[in-house]
Amino acid sequence: MSADGPPGRLFKNISAKIASIPMILTAVVVFLGGTLWTVIYSFTDSKLLPRLNFVGLAQYERLWSTPRWIVSIENLAIYGILSLIFSFVIGFLLAALLDQQIRFENTFRTIFLYPFALSFIVTGLVWQWILNPDFGLQHIIRGLGWENFTFNPLYDARLVMFGIVLAGLWQGTGLIMCLMLAGLRGIDEDIWKAARVEGIPTWKTYLFIVIPMMRPVFVTTLVIVMAGIVKLYDLVVAMTAGGPGTASEVPAKYVYEFMFRAQNLGQGFAASTMMLLSVAVVVIPWAYLEFGGKRRG
Amino acid sequence: MKRRALAAMLTGSVALPWAASAADLEVTHWWTSGGEAAAVAEFAKAFDATGNHWVDGAIAGSGETARSIMVSRITGGDPMGATQFNHGRQAEELVAAGLMRDLDAVAEAQDWKSVINPPSLLESCMLDGHLYCIPVNIHSWQWLWLSNQAFADAGVPVPANWEEFVAAAPALQKAGKIPLAVGQQGWQMTGIFNDLLLGLGGKDLYLKVYDEKDAEVAGGADVAKVFKALDDARTLSKGSNVQSWNEATAMVISGKAGGQVMGDWAQGEFQVAGKVAGTDYTCLPGLGEARYITTGGDSFYFPALDDPEKSKAQEVLAEVILSPETQVAFNLKKGSLPVRGDVDLAAANDCMKKGLAILKEGNVLKSTDELISPDTTTQLNDLMSEFFAESMTAEDAQKRFAGLIESAD
């Protein structure tokens, strides 16, 4: 920083500052303002149109006594934990395998990444057909002679979330793999050589040397995956529409339906505020660790 | 279905620019099944004949999907020329907020007060003495549609009421049929429940629960019987994996399923398939029990617009829709009853005649759309779809139903 005094500070990089004004305004007015507005109106009894008639915590009390909301939260937890674990494990394994200097690496990478180019709606419809008992996987395998084969997750309330996780993993793992592969390629060859000289087995090298070195990649991937989990909506809508019954409902769907179908904005705002809270619980400690830590170090 | 909804949303957004020229009126509705599309084409034809142009804004999926799109467009400052809603409280707040125009002048000129029958239809369109919507048809929910062929295949006579239907179910199952076709959407299951409530419980019970919102009655012994019957319906519907109502109706038409509890709009599907009432299929109003029908149905609302030419066209559209000729043409295709008491439905088939007779007897009640808010309806739909998908006991379901009625508005 040059020591030119006051004018330099404000007018330094002036064009860059002017260029970022629209984005700053968007962030403050749309994101922050919209968030505040939503939180405030979640304490009102707004129906189809917003109105400032405060009812205290009534919307939240109703929210937490609604079975559908509880189911939604549980489902999000199931989906979140499973897809977090499996997309990391599978993504890393695929990346590690691709990293063995195999032939046709580009082809494999393209194949694995292809599903990510599809939207959740398309993914959901494709998997809805694959898992449909009347003409999907179950039908084909029964046709091959296994008459009693049953694989029907989307019509079974206990299994439906696993069907959705399956489709989600199919769509998203390719991206995780690519991120991991980039991370692996960033590891210096010399480290591998050193490990080999020391006689450390490959799996140990991965587990105790390479993975800790890939921390930044893991953190970035974690944020991307988590954001995808919290906003889970279209996949469910395309695959099951929340069914059977309410067995595959998710919070984002609850928000949408109470705001627009049930014409009860207050209830929808309360639910979305709870979603915001859950994101904040995850993001704030992380941001503190990431950015707060750097300043100290 | 969902893909079509998306497509409709996309085309809807593209269609906006050309709604701009004068006297082109975009009309949004959710009439997309075969019979419905044929019926709405009658409106378009009659409106185009006046020199104006009907821009069709069909939104596929279901009424639930369509209504949220319509409401966001109106509240978002992008109103269409006219839009469908169900009779009742769905557009209540839009009217109160001044987003809809009144139709007092046309109503006066056309003397709708004396021709609309039953008069309660017009009342539910009124707010503070002004008329904000026009009813276009009367739809009743209380019908049991039976496939004569399915019962012939099973070797049992076609039942005449709900009890006989339940008794005939084992024979149907033995013949490899699903006794009751049900689409896996909450509103369809709520419909079955409401029909059983009115059919088995009678008029007083129905009104105690939905009009007076008496939670004690809702948790009482009479309603318990209804939940027992609903439990039967759940057992009989096992194996019907379809989503939308017309897919379920198709199962009845093809004889794969014994019957379906659905509103009289199902009739349009039978007609499109070329089936004849009485010989191919049988309809039982009030499920063959109490002969009451609820006067639900569709209304058209007209958002307030700045363009005077379009406002003029709105009045023309309202007039055309309620004219006797259009009423007959539309309702014959739709399978619903006309809202005018002075039109002749000589071409009506067996089932519509049964409905007309009940209408004439005055055995009509307000539909749940008119009695409870969309908020309560959504909660009810959630409860019913949960009940049908899971092993919830009838007692637990009733307990939650009573709680729901207690907090209903």
Side-chain angles (χ1 to χ4, degrees):
Chain A
M1 204 163 285
S2 63
D4 294 344
R9 266 197 164 246
L10 191 60
F11 294 105
K12 202 182 164 219
N13 287 337
I14 184 72
S15 49
K17 280 176 183 159
I18 291 174
S20 59
I21 284 177
M23 194 54 222
I24 292 173
L25 277 181
T26 314
V28 170
V29 176
V30 178
F31 297 147
L32 210 63
T35 306
L36 271 176
W37 191 90
T38 304
V39 173
I40 292 170
Y41 276 87
S42 72
F43 296 103
T44 68
D45 66 349
S46 300
K47 289 286 188 190
L48 177 63
L49 303 169
R51 61 172 176 222
L52 275 174
N53 184 12
F54 289 100
V55 290
L57 286 171
Q59 297 287 10
Y60 291 90
E61 275 162 25
R62 177 173 152 191
L63 183 68
W64 285 104
S65 62
T66 304
R68 178 172 160 186
W69 174 253
I70 308 290
V71 170
S72 302
I73 295 285
E74 286 168 1
N75 283 344
L76 192 66
I78 295 174
Y79 179 85
I81 292 168
L82 287 181
S83 66
L84 207 60
I85 294 174
F86 282 104
S87 64
F88 265 78
V89 170
I90 299 173
F92 186 80
L93 279 178
L94 285 177
L97 291 175
L98 273 189
D99 199 29
Q100 308 303 312
Q101 262 117 48
I102 54 162
R103 256 192 287 178
F104 308 120
E105 188 200 312
N106 278 336
T107 318
F108 280 114
R109 211 169 47 203
T110 311
I111 291 175
F112 289 132
L113 195 56
Y114 239 109
F116 190 68
L118 300 178
S119 71
F120 260 149
I121 291 282
V122 177
T123 309
L125 280 174
V126 168
W127 279 90
Q128 189 200 33
W129 290 333
I130 293 175
L131 298 178
N132 186 304
D134 296 328
F135 46 82
L137 197 63
Q138 176 178 319
H139 179 74
I140 292 169
I141 295 195
R142 282 188 185 182
L144 291 175
W146 285 277
E147 292 289 331
N148 291 323
F149 177 80
T150 305
F151 185 66
N152 189 10
L154 296 190
Y155 289 92
D156 185 332
R158 285 162 304 166
L159 296 179
V160 63
M161 281 320 288
F162 300 101
I164 291 171
V165 170
L166 193 65
L169 284 178
W170 178 80
Q171 203 253 6
T173 312
L175 176 75
I176 311 298
M177 180 203 75
C178 274
L179 290 169
M180 297 285 180
L181 193 57
L184 284 174
R185 291 282 150 85
I187 304 286
D188 200 331
E189 261 310 295
D190 293 339
I191 291 180
W192 280 105
K193 283 179 191 151
R196 235 167 271 142
V197 169
E198 296 285 335
I200 304 170
T202 315
W203 67 271
K204 264 194 175 167
T205 317
Y206 268 119
L207 217 55
F208 297 111
I209 300 172
V210 174
I211 291 185
M213 287 181 75
M214 281 170 63
R215 184 167 172 276
V217 175
F218 272 92
V219 171
T220 311
T221 314
L222 187 70
V223 173
I224 292 175
V225 174
M226 294 275 260
I229 290 169
V230 175
K231 67 183 187 198
L232 175 68
Y233 170 78
D234 26 13
L235 189 61
V236 173
V237 170
M239 279 182 87
T240 63
T246 52
S248 60
E249 292 290 345
V250 285
K253 193 160 171 288
Y254 185 95
V255 171
Y256 169 77
E257 277 176 18
F258 272 87
M259 280 168 73
F260 297 109
R261 289 195 182 172
Q263 305 186 352
N264 190 340
L265 285 180
Q267 182 66 198
F269 289 159
S272 60
T273 305
M274 293 315 301
M275 283 178 72
L276 176 72
L277 207 64
S278 65
V279 174
V281 164
V282 175
V283 168
I284 290 175
W286 166 76
Y288 185 76
L289 279 177
E290 272 307 291
F291 302 119
K294 243 175 221 154
R295 213 170 293 139
R296 263 181 273 128
Chain B
M1 279 277 70
K2 281 147 219 144
R3 210 174 28 167
R4 269 205 273 150
L6 259 180
M9 271 160 72
L10 289 175
T11 32
S13 59
V14 176
L16 301 182
W18 32 268
S21 78
D24 278 8
L25 219 49
E26 192 197 2
V27 186
T28 51
H29 58 84
W30 57 86
W31 286 322
T32 50
S33 80
E36 292 172 333
V40 77
E42 293 292 335
F43 279 164
K45 211 165 69 189
F47 185 60
D48 285 349
T50 64
N52 293 297
H53 184 55
W54 170 288
V55 180
D56 199 63
I59 302 171
S62 67
E64 288 180 330
T65 316
R67 283 193 293 275
S68 47
I69 296 170
M70 292 164 180
V71 170
S72 349
R73 276 191 58 185
I74 297 168
T75 53
D78 176 28
M80 59 298 281
T83 185
Q84 173 199 8
F85 278 105
N86 288 125
H87 294 335
R89 302 178 56 183
Q90 286 164 356
E92 200 172 61
E93 275 193 67
L94 294 175
V95 172
L99 291 165
M100 297 293 181
R101 60 164 292 183
D102 68 68
L103 295 159
D104 295 345
V106 201
E108 193 89 18
Q110 299 287 319
D111 196 21
W112 283 339
K113 270 211 174 83
S114 56
V115 292
I116 305 285
N117 177 58
S120 65
L121 284 179
L122 220 47
E123 278 162 30
S124 58
C125 280
M126 307 280 273
L127 189 85
D128 301 332
H130 297 289
L131 184 75
Y132 287 97
C133 68
I134 51 165
V136 299
N137 60 7
I138 300 170
H139 266 310
S140 45
W141 244 112
Q142 292 68 29
W143 297 83
L144 176 58
W145 305 92
L146 300 167
S147 162
N148 288 10
Q149 198 208 325
F151 286 96
D153 289 350
V156 284
V158 178
N161 58 39
W162 177 257
E163 253 114 78
E164 286 181 30
F165 176 71
V166 175
L172 284 172
Q173 275 162 334
K174 210 172 277 169
K177 317 237 176 232
I178 294 161
L180 188 66
V182 181
Q184 303 297 314
Q185 291 169 343
W187 66 272
Q188 301 182 41
M189 296 147 184
T190 306
I192 299 177
F193 171 75
N194 290 339
D195 287 2
L196 289 169
L197 180 68
L198 182 57
L200 305 178
K203 175 188 168 188
D204 293 337
L205 189 67
Y206 176 86
L207 288 178
K208 273 235 161 58
V209 171
Y210 284 126
D211 198 13
E212 294 169 29
K213 300 177 180 76
D214 188 331
E216 228 162 275
V217 173
D222 290 332
V223 175
K225 260 183 244 157
V226 178
F227 270 96
K228 270 272 163 321
L230 193 68
D231 200 7
D232 291 338
R234 173 170 66 176
T235 320
L236 300 185
S237 70
K238 280 276 170 303
S240 102
N241 283 345
V242 292
Q243 284 285 332
S244 58
W245 67 267
N246 47 334
E247 288 174 285
T249 312
M251 290 169 71
V252 180
I253 292 175
S254 66
K256 264 191 242 161
Q260 181 191 19
V261 176
M262 186 44 63
D264 54 10
W265 47 92
Q267 165 125 306
E269 299 298 299
F270 285 100
Q271 229 151 18
V272 169
K275 300 287 176 184
V276 180
T279 54
D280 296 320
Y281 66 100
T282 305
C283 54
L284 301 175
L287 311 188
E289 306 281 344
R291 286 170 59 85
Y292 285 99
I293 56 174
T294 56
T295 55
D298 305 292
S299 301
F300 271 70
Y301 285 78
F302 300 86
L305 300 177
D306 295 331
D307 186 342
E309 269 183 71
K310 281 196 183 177
S311 305
K312 192 89 205 103
Q314 286 178 328
E315 290 176 8
V316 175
L317 178 62
E319 212 178 302
V320 163
I321 285 176
L322 278 183
S323 75
E325 305 78 48
T326 326
Q327 275 290 306
V328 172
F330 172 81
N331 285 305
L332 282 179
K333 291 249 166 81
K334 185 86 162 67
S336 51
L337 305 176
V339 294
R340 294 178 74 112
D342 59 351
V343 295
D344 180 26
L345 271 190
N349 66 23
D350 264 18
C351 290
M352 288 177 78
K353 279 191 180 129
K354 283 185 196 171
L356 281 170
I358 296 175
L359 196 62
K360 206 157 264 163
E361 288 162 28
N363 283 347
V364 287
L365 296 166
K366 281 191 173 178
S367 68
T368 51
D369 281 336
E370 292 162 273
L371 296 170
I372 57 176
S373 69
D375 188 19
T376 309
T377 308
T378 304
Q379 290 172 281
L380 192 57
N381 291 351
D382 285 348
L383 171 63
M384 290 304 159
S385 58
E386 225 182 301
F387 179 77
F388 266 78
E390 284 156 38
S391 49
M392 189 194 288
T393 65
E395 287 76 24
D396 286 348
Q398 191 186 1
K399 217 173 282 162
R400 273 180 55 188
F401 177 68
L404 220 154
I405 290 298
E406 195 171 7
S407 63
D409 58 349

